[in-house]
Amino acid sequence: MGKMTGFLDYERTDNEMVSPENRLKNFAEFHIAMDEEKRCEQAARCMNCGVPLCQSAVKLSGMITGCPLHNLIPEFNDELFKGHIKEAYIRLHKISNFPEFTGRVCPALCEKACMCGLNGKAVTVHENELFIIEEAFKRGYVQPEIPKVRSGMKVAVVGAGPAGLAAADDLNYRGHSVTVFEREEEIGGLLMFGIPNMKLDKDVILRRKALMEAEGVVFKTGVNIGGKGKNDISAKELEKNYDAIVLCCGAKEARRLSAEGIDKIKSGMYLAVDFLTKTTKTLLKTKNRLPGELPKSDSADFITAAGKNVVIVGGGDTGNDCIGTCMREGAKSVIALEMMPEPPVERLASNPWPEWPKVKKTDYGHEEAISVFGKDPREYSTTVKSVETDKDGKLKKIVTVKVHFEGRSLVEEAGTEKEIPCDLLLIAAGFTGCESYVTDAFKVKRTDRNVVETKEDDYLTNVDKVFTAGDMHRGQSLVVHAIVEGKSAAAEVDKYLMGY
């Protein structure tokens, strides 16, 4: 599996990136793919380690390490090392529905469990995966796989995010007739509207959509199940016309900010997901747009950071994506507040390999802010204490305060208040569960975590023939977990419909 001495012969080399000063000029993807010879060398580093933890998805100290999809990583690395691109694609596609998505946005849990990472640097599994799928598309290896036999069963999937797409893909492959309903004007969920174009080009999603349509999946966008618009459909209508229903509507109930004066803000404060969504929608609607060009719009619906002092509340991927977006739009300043303390640069003894490394990560948005402003935009152990607006309710400034935890209680540190000018306040503090109107429409139960209730390791709700998957079922999580959920739900639906 790979070259027996590959990990000794070759050092880990990552894809190069366009410099921050150049990539900030547009919303285009900025990683530069390696040539085939060098990529094959990187695949050669994959060891014949006997027990490939990279594909294990084991839970250690409450955290998953290793690929949740159980991708056949040593196998596709071996084929890539030998230059067998088609065979590498076959091994990758055998497990993974959408490697072009995970190859771009997954935090590479596989690499954190790589044996090479114990005493050195992990194999570039993430980039190898992306190289294989993109080469497979270029070379024409990716073709529609149309089921030869149809079951006669009809399945409705509600929500076209990664969980819904995975469920639809697997159920269609099994011969069921699948219709996917999406309330937005385009499929993808947070893949399309929550992740910026420079991280996942939207044409990549549309390419997969065209492939799935060629395979027989029907997409109906702009349709809100349980909504009250003229194009919307009731839950009863779906239950009447389909043999099974899979709810994959995400966990889109965003966590709100609690601070003194927050209710007085009439303009200048937005949820991060709304900010990112409006930016992407504007970018997509630009007439005759060049790939990744900066969005330009006179629409009042477009939120721009241009010339503004921006404060982002919340770390994580969403906070970083907000930083990167604001930098491209020409923000005057960017500060990111993180409630948790600053993580260590290296693993602590209490966080050994192969656990997920709880270390400081400087992502692309942070790098871009550092390149422009000369300092890291993050301020740790800090939250918003109060806000100040003008007489018309327009946000002008905020007051921050240092905090720490005492048990589970968050405690402010007296005398640490600091006033910061702020024209745009973005809340990237996560989500609190699924939106209730969908669950109410189908009369499915929710847990005290505000996600759909099922038995453990099960996807059937309390309502017959109504299943659930993704963030709506497990809570806010990673794209790869959503895909796993969608596939697992599809298997359960298939058994429900066919008896096996």
Side-chain angles (χ1 to χ4, degrees):
M1 295 183 181
K3 187 179 180 182
M4 291 297 288
T5 60
F7 69 101
L8 299 172
D9 296 339
Y10 308 111
E11 290 293 327
R12 176 183 171 118
T13 305
D14 294 295
N15 283 337
E16 293 183 3
M17 294 190 291
V18 176
S19 65
E21 57 267 29
N22 285 322
R23 69 189 193 226
L24 284 174
K25 296 175 182 177
N26 54 55
F27 271 71
E29 290 187 1
F30 53 84
H31 289 88
I32 304 168
M34 230 176 243
D35 64 40
E36 184 177 339
E37 182 181 355
K38 291 181 179 178
R39 181 51 60 199
C40 292
E41 286 181 358
Q42 289 303 302
R45 298 185 69 244
C46 188
M47 300 164 60
N48 186 1
C49 56
V51 181
L53 286 174
C54 58
Q55 61 186 48
S56 64
V58 294
K59 197 170 188 177
L60 301 172
S61 300
M63 300 172 290
I64 296 292
T65 186
C67 178
L69 278 166
H70 305 297
N71 271 330
L72 305 176
I73 293 167
E75 296 184 32
F76 71 63
N77 275 333
D78 182 49
E79 297 292 0
L80 178 56
F81 154 60
K82 294 172 180 174
H84 301 164
I85 306 301
K86 185 174 184 177
E87 289 73 16
Y89 164 67
I90 290 170
R91 302 314 292 163
L92 175 60
H93 180 56
K94 183 174 177 64
I95 305 296
S96 179
N97 301 66
F98 316 120
E100 69 270 34
F101 301 160
T102 51
R104 286 173 165 85
V105 304
C106 186
L109 286 77
C110 51
E111 293 185 17
K112 308 307 182 286
C114 174
M115 190 71 76
C116 280
L118 175 58
N119 295 305
K121 294 182 179 180
V123 174
T124 55
V125 179
H126 192 241
E127 292 180 355
N128 293 357
E129 173 186 10
L130 183 57
F131 179 87
I132 292 167
I133 184 60
E134 289 302 324
E135 282 296 308
F137 270 111
K138 287 177 186 176
R139 300 183 187 198
Y141 302 151
V142 184
Q143 294 294 326
E145 297 179 16
I146 303 169
K148 295 179 181 179
V149 179
R150 288 291 178 182
S151 68
M153 299 289 186
K154 295 168 63 180
V155 181
V157 176
V158 183
L165 292 176
D169 197 41
D170 277 16
L171 287 166
N172 179 71
Y173 182 76
R174 286 287 288 147
H176 307 303
S177 297
V178 183
T179 303
V180 182
F181 297 89
E182 171 56 50
R183 70 181 179 184
E184 294 287 357
E185 61 264 37
E186 199 45 88
I187 73 158
L190 290 180
L191 287 171
M192 176 64 77
F193 297 115
I195 296 174
N197 196 80
M198 59 274 193
K199 197 170 176 181
L200 172 58
D201 192 292
K202 305 314 163 188
D203 288 340
V204 172
I205 302 171
L206 298 178
R207 179 180 64 184
R208 178 58 66 171
K209 177 187 178 184
L211 182 65
M212 292 179 68
E213 287 177 326
E215 294 173 331
V217 176
V218 175
F219 292 101
K220 294 189 176 182
T221 57
V223 180
N224 194 7
I225 306 303
K228 297 181 179 180
K230 64 178 182 178
N231 295 324
D232 296 340
I233 299 175
S234 69
K236 288 184 178 180
E237 189 174 343
L238 241 59
E239 290 171 333
K240 177 183 176 181
N241 295 324
Y242 291 87
D243 299 293
I245 299 165
V246 190
L247 303 179
C248 304
C249 305
K252 296 180 180 177
E253 196 65 51
R255 182 175 283 107
R256 308 281 168 164
L257 181 65
S258 176
E260 184 182 337
I262 206 80
D263 295 334
K264 296 179 181 179
I265 299 177
K266 294 182 180 179
S267 66
M269 181 178 71
Y270 303 92
L271 296 172
V273 68
D274 292 339
F275 169 68
L276 295 171
T277 295
K278 290 178 188 295
T279 298
T280 297
K281 286 184 176 181
T282 303
L283 180 64
L284 291 172
K285 289 176 181 177
T286 303
K287 292 182 180 179
N288 302 317
R289 69 183 181 93
L290 298 172
E293 72 176 348
L294 291 168
K296 298 174 184 177
S297 177
D298 296 326
S299 170
D301 196 43
F302 177 49
I303 307 165
T304 181
K308 295 178 181 177
N309 295 302
V310 183
V311 176
I312 300 160
V313 180
D317 289 337
T318 302
N320 173 67
D321 290 338
C322 285
I323 295 171
T325 300
C326 291
M327 295 305 300
R328 281 161 179 75
E329 292 180 357
K332 184 178 180 180
S333 67
V334 177
I335 293 174
L337 305 181
E338 300 203 18
M339 191 168 57
M340 302 302 292
E342 184 173 356
V345 176
E346 301 289 340
R347 283 181 184 269
L348 299 178
S350 57
N351 177 215
W353 178 93
E355 289 181 2
W356 175 266
K358 293 183 282 189
V359 296
K360 184 176 180 179
K361 177 186 177 184
T362 299
D363 214 327
Y364 75 95
H366 309 131
E367 292 175 352
E368 291 160 2
I370 292 169
S371 73
V372 173
F373 301 123
K375 64 175 184 176
D376 195 313
R378 291 169 288 186
E379 294 188 9
Y380 294 93
S381 300
T382 305
T383 191
V384 179
K385 181 180 179 68
S386 63
V387 303
E388 186 176 317
T389 63
D390 63 17
K391 60 178 180 165
D392 297 319
K394 184 178 180 181
L395 183 62
K396 301 301 291 182
K397 57 186 174 183
I398 66 170
V399 175
T400 65
V401 65
K402 289 287 185 181
V403 292
H404 65 270
F405 283 90
E406 293 183 4
R408 292 189 176 183
S409 299
L410 190 65
V411 179
E412 294 184 1
E413 298 178 4
T416 61
E417 291 82 2
K418 185 169 68 172
E419 199 173 87
I420 299 174
C422 179
D423 310 302
L424 180 61
L425 182 62
L426 301 175
I427 313 304
F431 299 86
T432 60
C434 60
E435 294 169 294
S436 59
Y437 80 91
V438 179
T439 54
D440 291 346
F442 285 93
K443 296 182 172 59
V444 298
K445 293 180 180 178
R446 299 194 302 271
T447 70
D448 55 5
R449 292 177 54 239
N450 199 31
V451 294
V452 177
E453 181 178 277
T454 67
K455 293 179 181 178
E456 188 175 358
D457 298 324
D458 199 6
Y459 298 86
L460 179 65
T461 70
N462 59 293
V463 178
D464 183 46
K465 81 177 185 181
V466 179
F467 298 78
T468 188
D471 289 1
M472 190 177 195
H473 179 230
R474 68 175 289 142
Q476 180 189 4
S477 192
L478 302 172
V479 168
V480 67
H481 283 307
I483 293 172
V484 171
E485 287 258 326
K487 292 176 71 65
S488 300
E492 193 169 312
V493 171
D494 185 46
K495 186 175 181 180
Y496 171 86
L497 294 174
M498 306 302 290
Y500 61 95

